[in-house]
Amino acid sequence: MLAHRTGLFATSGTANARAAAQAAAASGKEIVDLTAGEIWAELDTTLRAGAISAIQHGITRYTDTVGLLELRQAVSRKLSLETGQLWNPDEVALTTGAKQALFNASMVLLNPGDEVIIPVPYWTTFPAQVSIAGGQPVFVDTRATAYIPRLEDLRAAITPATRAIIVNTPSNPTGVVYDQATLRGIGELAVAHGLWVIFDECYGAFAHEPCAHQSMVSVVPEVRSRLVIINAFSKALAITGWRLGYMAAPREVIKAVKALQSHTTSNPNVIAQHAVLAYLEAGDGAYERGLRTQLRNARSVGLGILSSLKRVPRPTAQGGFYFYLDLSCLLQRTCKDRLEKSADDVANVLLSRAGVAAVSGTAFGDPAGMRLSYGGPIDKLEIGLQRLVEVLNTWDP
Ligand code: PLP
């Protein structure tokens, strides 16, 4: 009945985990939801005023397909500051969240059968979108190297069919921030092999000291003609529901994206565009600093609680707002044996027994991993992590 391509994807694992948490809550259970890929924060006043002003001025109509010129100019200025290179508005497309920017990238860059290298654990949407676009995800395991890909592993994965590599730093789900040497190595590899780098820096605003986020193009300027930068205001300004992202890439890529987007969604939401424009023109960065402080506090409270875990290593949580647990030693009788259960089992027990919702690593290609968000209210985080520690410390496979 349905097209063959529907076999290439299922509802994202993170959305499923959120739905399971909501269903449990709807049945009357008190649930602490640590699945959210978003920050709970009051809306910034400049964003609020920008949106209200757009409505009061009767703004209702389409904008340019890839967004208001003024906003693309503002994003170009932001990118120029962040990368130390000059960006022009015709190298920028505004999209309905970073998700659409990533989808656009796959659709305009991949031919059927083209291979795309994706480090594992990966954000669940990366391989799904590559497959929908007719490409072939090729996975490179990073679990033995603290979730940072080794250059020799990436090199070994390159074949004549390789077209692109996806780099996501700070990473969802692992929370690692790629170091400069890794960024340089990947950039140089891409240049040497003529690959595209799809560089997702949606969590770039949240790298926790001493780690620092760097754009790949600042480290390897020569990669620019093969680089697609993906970003969004969703996480950085805590407006996930407003659906505003962007991509920056060579002009011919943006031209193709504009044509594609003209047949899919057209411009992203016009009110969100005006609100973010007001923010970029008038915001003094205090709101973002506030979000960073909120996350820094939540991270340190969370790490304090997680330090009581007995058989699970303390997560590094270098960036973003996720603790990523490696449950391998818990899931196998000795660390050398194969897994007897997966993190799905742990997530199910956590939800049913302790009322804590977490995302199993199977959603990210890692059956031994577990992602816990610390973007939500801190009191809930404390309760949720204390219950989780209790369950994991008494876990008996
Ligand atoms: N990229 C990564 C790594 C993400 O984690 C997410 C959302 O969770 C996105 C892209 C999509 O962001 P948006 O909500 O702006 O579409």
Side-chain angles (χ1 to χ4, degrees):
M1 188 173 87
L2 299 175
H4 297 319
R5 87 170 63 80
T6 56
L8 298 172
F9 53 89
T11 307
S12 90
T14 45
N16 282 339
R18 201 169 51 234
Q22 283 163 357
S27 74
K29 282 189 85 168
E30 186 247 322
I31 300 295
V32 179
D33 186 355
L34 303 181
T35 67
E38 52 196 351
I39 306 171
W40 288 42
E42 283 288 316
L43 178 60
D44 171 64
T45 48
T46 315
L47 283 167
R48 185 189 300 263
I52 290 171
S53 160
I55 291 169
Q56 282 173 340
H57 282 89
I59 302 278
T60 54
R61 300 178 45 205
Y62 293 126
T63 68
D64 186 287
T65 299
V66 287
L68 292 163
L69 176 61
E70 298 87 327
L71 184 52
R72 280 182 288 125
Q73 282 167 336
V75 169
S76 307
R77 284 195 295 275
K78 172 179 175 308
L79 276 164
S80 303
L81 272 175
E82 286 169 358
T83 62
Q85 297 194 13
L86 194 64
W87 292 82
N88 292 303
D90 58 356
E91 296 170 291
V92 172
L94 296 162
T95 56
T96 300
K99 230 173 214 179
Q100 186 181 29
L102 284 161
F103 192 60
N104 286 343
S106 282
M107 291 298 281
V108 306
L109 296 180
L110 301 183
N111 287 311
D114 279 352
E115 293 177 1
V116 177
I117 296 176
I118 303 176
V120 177
Y122 48 73
W123 181 50
T124 181
T125 293
F126 293 145
Q129 290 192 343
V130 165
S131 301
I132 295 166
Q136 185 67 45
V138 172
F139 298 114
V140 168
D141 201 341
T142 66
R143 287 174 293 181
T145 48
Y147 307 122
I148 297 283
R150 290 194 313 178
L151 285 185
E152 52 264 48
D153 293 340
L154 294 174
R155 202 175 290 116
I158 296 174
T159 74
T162 309
R163 179 87 167 142
I165 171 162
I166 297 182
V167 176
N168 171 216
T169 178
S171 155
N172 175 10
T174 65
V176 298
V177 175
Y178 283 30
D179 55 274
Q180 189 165 323
T182 304
L183 288 177
R184 175 169 302 112
I186 297 175
E188 288 174 355
L189 206 60
V191 172
H193 291 267
L195 308 180
W196 286 98
V197 178
I198 298 173
F199 188 72
D200 181 331
E201 55 177 356
C202 282
Y203 297 88
F206 308 119
H208 307 300
E209 280 172 8
C211 293
H213 171 68
Q214 277 190 298
S215 188
M216 181 170 278
V217 73
S218 320
V219 181
V220 188
E222 317 83 74
V223 84
R224 178 150 173 186
S225 61
R226 315 223 114 256
L227 182 71
V228 179
I229 295 176
I230 305 286
N231 206 336
F233 301 100
S234 309
K235 319 279 175 179
L237 299 181
I239 47 170
T240 36
W242 284 23
R243 314 305 304 131
L244 190 59
Y246 61 88
M247 61 195 293
R251 287 182 182 84
E252 58 275 25
V253 174
I254 297 299
K255 227 169 121 191
V257 159
K258 182 168 179 167
L260 174 69
Q261 210 162 283
S262 77
H263 296 296
T264 56
T265 56
S266 298
N267 60 270
N269 182 294
V270 66
I271 302 300
Q273 287 193 61
H274 278 280
V276 169
L277 179 59
Y279 181 87
L280 292 181
E281 284 180 344
D284 58 3
Y287 182 67
E288 285 152 280
R289 282 195 294 280
L291 290 181
R292 275 197 285 276
T293 305
Q294 174 182 332
L295 292 182
R296 200 168 40 240
N297 291 342
R299 175 179 179 272
S300 105
V301 167
L303 285 177
I305 299 172
L306 293 174
S307 64
S308 330
L309 282 169
K310 289 191 188 127
R311 284 173 291 166
V312 177
R314 187 176 181 268
T316 49
Q318 297 169 329
F321 41 85
Y322 303 112
F323 297 124
Y324 194 71
L325 303 183
D326 174 8
L327 304 180
S328 340
C329 285
L330 204 75
L331 296 169
Q332 47 205 22
R333 290 192 188 279
T334 75
C335 287
K336 286 186 209 75
D337 293 347
R338 62 179 181 79
L339 293 188
E340 295 188 347
K341 292 200 164 184
S342 82
D344 288 358
D345 300 295
V346 181
N348 290 338
V349 168
L350 270 176
L351 187 59
S352 60
R353 212 189 313 147
V356 177
V359 186
S360 159
T362 50
F364 314 117
D366 172 20
M370 173 161 282
R371 192 191 79 176
L372 312 162
S373 166
Y374 56 90
I378 197 151
D379 53 332
K380 295 271 191 234
L381 178 72
E382 283 183 88
I383 297 170
L385 292 184
Q386 274 153 2
R387 290 188 197 165
L388 172 126
V389 166
E390 242 176 80
V391 170
L392 297 193
N393 280 351
T394 51
W395 181 264
D396 179 6

